Amino acid sequence: MKGLILKELYLIKSFSKQYVLLMVLMGAWSIFVHNISFVAIYVMVLGSSMVLSTTTMDEAVSFHKFAVTMPVNARTLVKSKYVILFLTVGVGELLVWLFSVAANLLPAGSIGMVGIEGMEGMIVTGCLFLSANAASIPVMFKVGVTKSRYTYLIVMVVIGGVILGGYKVSKLAGLSLDDMLSEMEWALNLTAVILAAVIAAVSYFISVKIVQKKEW
């Protein structure tokens, strides 16, 4: 297990310089437009998609064919991918929080950033990206990364459609969805965390079943 996780981290390290550069540019743009959402969404997209990126590299060298010759069972192989998913999303949340803190240390009036008090919304955002990627991982093990990316995009479009639909319905009803969500923020965060955990757990067990039956 430790070796598999280290392998994932070394793969991430191999393309980390490009991602760090893009992150710096997005951070600068967020400061310029006085909105942290640019860097926050980028970090979430980047972190949650690391599993697909490393698996693309695995496929390029047929790593899984080599893995079955090692004393590694299907459960361990799958678990390493989910550990990386949770790790990268968690690190992404931490980076956004640190960026928010740093931005709010700037002189008052120089920037209109979301402060620490506005970071609760990132919990829901992180859970959405984590859930979308967790839903795509079984597809990744079944038919490959390319179709898994399509699954991820479809899930994100559906999520976006539900959110947009909620705003339109609330507007037609003369209600403010933002105000409603603000009043039940902690309940929403807790619900998002529970749903993400359930989706990840179901995804994990499905992935294990797929890998156990798969002939590489």
Side-chain angles (χ1 to χ4, degrees):
M1 179 68 172
K2 180 180 178 181
L4 290 173
I5 294 176
L6 285 175
K7 185 267 297 182
E8 296 288 317
L9 294 176
Y10 282 132
L11 289 178
I12 292 173
K13 182 181 178 181
S14 68
F15 48 76
S16 60
K17 290 182 180 179
Q18 297 93 319
Y19 285 148
V20 170
L21 177 60
L22 288 173
M23 196 178 301
V24 171
L25 293 175
M26 291 300 294
W29 180 251
S30 291
I31 292 176
F32 178 74
V33 299
H34 293 189
N35 193 327
I36 199 175
S37 61
F38 289 97
V39 69
I41 295 301
Y42 172 75
V43 169
M44 287 294 100
V45 171
L46 176 63
S48 62
S49 63
M50 285 292 186
V51 171
L52 294 179
S53 298
T54 59
T55 304
T56 298
M57 300 175 77
D58 287 344
E59 288 186 352
V61 297
S62 300
F63 172 76
H64 292 119
K65 291 182 179 180
F66 171 71
V68 296
T69 66
M70 301 186 296
V72 175
N73 57 32
R75 191 176 299 274
T76 302
L77 186 63
V78 170
K79 189 182 296 182
S80 66
K81 294 294 184 180
Y82 285 85
V83 169
I84 292 298
L85 174 61
F86 277 93
L87 180 62
T88 51
V89 171
V91 170
E93 292 274 357
L94 177 61
L95 288 175
V96 173
W97 181 81
L98 291 174
F99 182 79
S100 177
V101 172
N104 281 274
L105 292 177
L106 295 175
S110 64
I111 189 167
M113 284 286 183
V114 176
I116 303 174
E117 67 278 5
M119 288 302 296
E120 288 83 356
M122 286 307 302
I123 295 176
V124 176
T125 303
C127 288
L128 289 178
F129 280 104
L130 188 148
S131 298
N133 277 276
S136 69
I137 290 178
V139 179
M140 178 186 77
F141 281 117
K142 182 69 175 179
V143 292
V145 174
T146 301
K147 293 183 179 178
S148 178
R149 292 189 188 278
Y150 293 145
T151 302
Y152 169 75
L153 290 175
I154 291 171
V155 173
M156 291 304 299
V157 168
V158 170
I159 292 174
V162 170
I163 294 173
L164 181 61
Y167 273 100
K168 286 188 175 295
V169 170
S170 65
K171 186 176 181 180
L172 291 174
L175 302 173
S176 174
L177 186 60
D178 288 329
D179 291 340
M180 294 171 59
L181 294 178
S182 180
E183 292 176 359
M184 51 186 291
E185 191 167 43
W186 285 107
L188 183 64
N189 289 336
L190 180 60
T191 300
V193 169
I194 293 174
L195 285 176
V198 170
I199 291 171
V202 173
S203 171
Y204 168 75
F205 287 113
I206 293 175
S207 295
V208 170
K209 293 295 183 182
I210 290 173
V211 174
Q212 286 176 337
K213 298 178 180 179
K214 191 175 182 67
E215 295 182 2
W216 301 102

